[in-house]
Amino acid sequence: GYRLDEKQRPTFLCSWKGLHVEDAPRPVGEQDLYVMQRTLHVRGDAGAAKVWFRAAVGDTIQKAAPGAFRIDDKWTLYVKSGGEAIVRSSAGEFELLVPVLLHEGQATVELTYDW
């Protein structure tokens, strides 16, 4: 489902294996210079399992700087979370995986898409 804020911007809501996720995308910028900022709030109990969020898939994913990843040499994804994102190869493509580290049943992952 979803809910709308006072400016009619959506926050998407979903549940998965005992976790509740709020996904809030927002444009950030001025005039014609915008990026898309996305905040994921996760709450619940994942037990002892590690939880990862697949933030991007591409033909190439390269670390550009701490917390910054260049996707297909076309755009950059900036990641802030409680842990270190990793790039892995899977089925002929690359995935950017972000750990969702719950602390007292909550975690936040912030993503900024810059193209």
Side-chain angles (χ1 to χ4, degrees):
Y2 68 96
R3 71 170 180 264
L4 299 174
D5 70 8
E6 67 281 350
K7 293 184 179 182
Q8 298 300 299
R9 295 178 301 199
T11 295
F12 301 100
L13 311 170
C14 67
S15 295
W16 177 78
K17 295 189 177 187
L19 296 175
H20 302 284
V21 180
E22 295 183 6
D23 183 353
R26 304 283 184 264
V28 176
E30 294 180 7
Q31 298 172 8
D32 287 339
L33 301 173
Y34 283 90
V35 297
M36 181 62 70
Q37 193 172 64
R38 186 175 176 195
T39 303
L40 300 168
H41 294 288
V42 181
R43 60 183 169 75
D45 182 17
K50 283 189 174 183
V51 178
W52 294 86
F53 173 71
R54 186 168 82 162
V57 176
D59 292 329
T60 62
I61 299 178
Q62 299 168 337
K63 189 168 188 173
F69 298 86
R70 191 81 178 139
I71 315 297
D72 291 337
D73 250 349
K74 295 180 182 175
W75 59 281
T76 302
L77 180 60
Y78 298 91
V79 178
K80 286 173 46 178
S81 74
E84 184 76 24
I86 63 168
V87 177
R88 79 171 178 190
S89 177
S90 177
E93 58 191 6
F94 290 92
E95 300 174 316
L96 178 60
L97 302 176
V98 179
V100 178
L101 303 175
L102 296 167
H103 178 70
E104 296 181 4
Q106 297 187 52
T108 300
V109 175
E110 293 181 5
L111 306 166
T112 303
Y113 301 81
D114 188 357
W115 56 96

